[in-house]
Amino acid sequence: MLDWDWLLWLFLGGCLVVIFAVLIPLSQWLTRRRRIASGWVAWCRTAATLPWADRWRLYLATATGRAVSDARLAPLAAQRASAVAALQRAGSPNSRCYLLVLAGAYFALALWSGLQGAGSAAAAVWAVMGLGCLYLGATVGAAGRSAEANRALAERNAAQ
């Protein structure tokens, strides 16, 4: 009698290879188009000319939803925040809810792996992933607020 299990595994493996051969390039193509459409690529070109201290200030302003402390950086901060907000809008309108639910799932996995005695390393990894999702979920709308605040600051500086 023939053993057909190896043919099944070969077929499934071939299907996985075909799926990944199609999905990975498609995902990269869609991600690139989304980044170009949102203005993120233009922002990266602009950011390459800035010193690291200015990039850090712009990141903090975008992450906290506030205007930058240095008025000369206001137009750049508005550009960066607008690009980040567009990327977030392109991701999903419900991304805050998804990220917070995912953070809760990661924290539950951290608790479960800690209680199962799987080791503190596994629980720590799940907890760090949960903290990352929690941070991203908490800062979803901050980029839009930062863009508005920095546009207002740039307009005030231009009027003076």
Side-chain angles (χ1 to χ4, degrees):
M1 178 156 263
L2 290 174
D3 187 17
W4 293 95
D5 287 343
W6 67 273
L7 281 177
L8 176 65
W9 286 111
L10 184 66
F11 174 74
L12 291 175
C15 289
L16 284 176
V17 168
V18 169
I19 287 172
F20 284 126
V22 171
L23 289 182
I24 289 173
L26 180 64
S27 172
Q28 290 177 343
W29 180 72
L30 289 172
T31 300
R32 180 162 171 73
R33 287 181 53 99
R34 188 178 322 140
R35 286 181 178 166
I36 290 171
S38 69
W40 185 252
V41 173
W43 160 250
C44 288
R45 287 188 191 117
T46 303
T49 64
L50 297 172
W52 280 102
D54 289 345
R55 290 186 205 185
W56 182 248
R57 285 187 197 108
L58 295 172
Y59 166 75
L60 286 176
T62 304
T64 58
R66 298 179 183 165
V68 289
S69 57
D70 191 355
R72 70 177 173 83
L73 295 175
L76 296 172
Q79 179 188 6
R80 184 189 194 286
S82 297
V84 170
L87 276 174
Q88 289 173 347
R89 280 192 308 272
S92 170
N94 298 325
S95 60
R96 177 187 304 262
C97 180
Y98 294 142
L99 286 167
L100 294 178
V101 167
L102 191 58
Y106 283 140
F107 287 135
L109 282 170
L111 180 67
W112 181 74
S113 64
L115 293 176
Q116 292 295 320
S120 61
V125 168
W126 290 121
V128 167
M129 291 177 70
L131 286 173
C133 287
L134 188 64
Y135 168 76
L136 291 174
T139 60
V140 163
R145 292 189 304 271
S146 177
E148 292 302 318
N150 284 302
R151 279 192 205 106
L153 179 61
E155 289 172 4
R156 263 195 319 257
N157 288 337
Q160 291 177 353

